[in-house]
Amino acid sequence: MNSSNIITNPDTRFTELDGIRGWASLSVLFYHVFWEIFGVVIPDFRNIFTATIFNGTLSVTVFFVLSGEAISIRFWKRNDARFVQKMALKRYPRLTIPIFFSCLIVYVLMMSHLTYSNEAAVIVNRKDWLGSFLNFTPSFIGLIKHSMLEVYLHHKPSISYNAFLWTMKVEIIGSFAIFILLMIRISDIKKIILAWLIGLILLISEDFTACFLFGMGIGYFRAKGNFVKLVENRNFQIATIPLLLIILIASGIPQLSGVSGQSVYKPLYIIFSVAVVFLAQESIAISNGLKNNLSNFLGKISFPLYLIQFSVFISFTSFEIIYFKTHSGLTLSAVGLIAITTIALSLVLAYFFGIIEKMAHWVSGKLASFMFNQYNKKP
C-alpha cells in the first residue's frame, strides 16, 4: 500500500473516518442491548470482553474526535474561509432534520400507544434506565421545541423524545468552536495551538467538547503529511494494534466497575478516544480494514443507526420482552433472540432512515448556498 496515499488522498481519508464512525456506532448499539437492557437480568453479559468492545462512553467520545477531524480537514486542504462559512451555515439543518424525524417517530409511537418501555423495564430490572424514558405527555408543539432547540440547550433524557440525543449539545458547540477557530485570521499553527490550549482547559474541566479540538489538531497534522514517517515506520506499525488493544481494555475497566458515567473519568475517555482515532488511522492493517464493504456500509448508516435505535428499544424490543416473559419466560435463548432481532431491525431501519439523512444533506446544502449568496450579493 502506498503510504503517501494514506495522507494525501481525501477520499481515502474520509472513507477511514466513516469506517471508524460506523464501528463505533455499532458498538453503541451492542452496548445498549447487552449492557444496558439485559445486563442486570443476565450479569454474565457484563464482563471485561463486552466492556472492551461494547464501550458506550468511549464510542461516543470517538464520534466527537472524528467530527472535529472531519470538519476541519477539508479546510486544511483548501484553506478557504468561504468553505468554512458554508459548513457553518449547513451544520444546524444538517443535524436538526434527522433529529426531528427520529423524534417524530417516537412521538407517533407514543400517540399510537405502541411504547412498552415502562412495563419492560420492570421485567429486566432497569427502571433506572429503560423505565426512566418517556415519562411525559407528548405534544406536537413539545416535539418541535425539543427537536429544534431544547436538544441543543438543556437536554434531559427523562423528558426527551430520544434519550440518546444528549450528545447533540456537545456536537453543536464543538462544531461551532471549530468554525470560529478556523475563521480567526492567524496562522494555521497558531490556530492549532489555541485549539489545543482550549482543549486542555476543557479536558481538565471534564468537558467532552475537548474531543473536537483535539480532533481538529489531528486533522491538521495529517493533512500536512506530518504522520507519513509513522506510517512508514515498521516498529510503529507492529506496535499499533497491541497499543490499541491496551487502550480499549483500559477504557473498559471503568465501565466494568460501574463508574464510567462519573465526571472524574471524562478526561480519561477524552485521552483514550484521541489515541484510538489516531492509532486506527495510522495503522496500515486497521486502515485497510476500515475501507472494506462492511465498514463502508456501517459508516454510511452510523448517524441513522444512532438516531433510530431508541425508537426500536422503547417499542419493538420492549414488546418482545413482555411477550416472552408472559409466554415462555425470559430465558437466555429468548434474550438472545430479542437481542438478534433488535440489532437486525435497528440496522434495517437505519438503512432506510439514511434517506432522511441524504435529504438533510441536500436541504442543508441548498439553504447554506442560498444564505451565503444572499449575504455576499453585491448591492
Side-chain angles (χ1 to χ4, degrees), residues 40-281:
V40 173
V41 290
I42 304 182
D44 287 345
F45 281 169
R46 294 183 174 183
N47 55 65
I48 190 59
F49 176 75
T50 58
T52 298
I53 62 173
F54 306 152
N55 192 318
T57 304
L58 180 66
S59 297
V60 168
T61 50
V62 164
F63 288 151
F64 295 151
V65 177
L66 291 170
S67 292
E69 180 176 351
I71 289 170
S72 62
I73 197 168
R74 293 182 180 181
F75 172 81
W76 305 129
K77 292 179 179 296
R78 300 185 183 202
N79 200 20
D80 184 355
R82 293 176 300 176
F83 181 71
V84 177
Q85 294 168 3
K86 287 183 178 180
M87 284 198 298
L89 291 170
K90 287 176 62 175
R91 196 62 175 166
Y92 174 77
R94 163 71 184 86
L95 293 174
T96 303
I97 292 172
I99 286 172
F100 169 75
F101 279 97
S102 76
C103 293
L104 178 63
I105 291 170
V106 176
Y107 171 79
V108 171
L109 289 171
M110 293 179 74
M111 295 299 292
S112 304
H113 304 289
L114 295 174
T115 58
Y116 311 98
S117 50
N118 284 331
E119 299 92 329
V122 176
I123 297 171
V124 296
N125 197 20
R126 288 312 315 267
K127 288 189 289 184
D128 60 323
W129 189 74
L130 189 62
S132 68
F133 305 146
L134 306 180
N135 293 315
F136 60 91
T137 302
S139 71
F140 192 73
I141 297 299
L143 165 69
I144 298 293
K145 287 172 58 180
H146 176 75
S147 58
M148 295 191 176
L149 184 62
E150 292 176 352
V151 71
Y152 299 115
L153 299 178
H154 46 81
H155 177 266
K156 294 181 180 179
S158 60
I159 56 173
S160 171
Y161 287 90
N162 188 334
F164 304 155
L165 293 180
W166 65 268
T167 57
M168 292 302 108
K169 181 178 180 179
V170 181
E171 188 75 32
I172 203 75
I173 293 173
S175 298
F176 279 92
I178 290 179
F179 295 144
I180 292 169
L181 286 166
L182 292 177
M183 290 297 295
I184 296 175
R185 294 185 178 181
I186 55 177
S187 66
D188 288 348
I189 192 63
K190 287 181 180 179
K191 291 176 183 177
I192 295 303
I193 293 172
L194 180 59
W196 280 11
L197 284 174
I198 298 171
L200 184 60
I201 294 171
L202 291 171
L203 183 145
I204 295 170
S205 303
E206 301 170 353
D207 190 328
F208 282 151
T209 311
C211 295
F212 278 80
L213 302 176
F214 292 131
M216 176 182 172
I218 291 175
Y220 170 78
F221 289 111
R222 180 163 290 115
K224 302 302 180 183
N226 294 107
F227 297 147
V228 171
K229 290 185 178 179
L230 288 177
V231 176
E232 295 174 343
N233 187 299
R234 184 173 179 272
N235 291 330
F236 176 81
Q237 290 301 315
I238 293 172
T240 51
I241 294 179
L243 279 173
L244 191 57
L245 288 174
I246 290 170
I247 291 168
L248 292 176
I249 293 170
S251 68
I253 293 174
Q255 181 171 301
L256 187 62
S257 305
V259 296
S260 61
Q262 296 180 12
S263 294
V264 69
Y265 288 95
K266 284 185 176 181
L268 190 65
Y269 279 108
I270 293 169
I271 295 168
F272 283 157
S273 62
V274 172
V276 167
V277 172
F278 171 73
L279 290 172
Q281 292 183 86

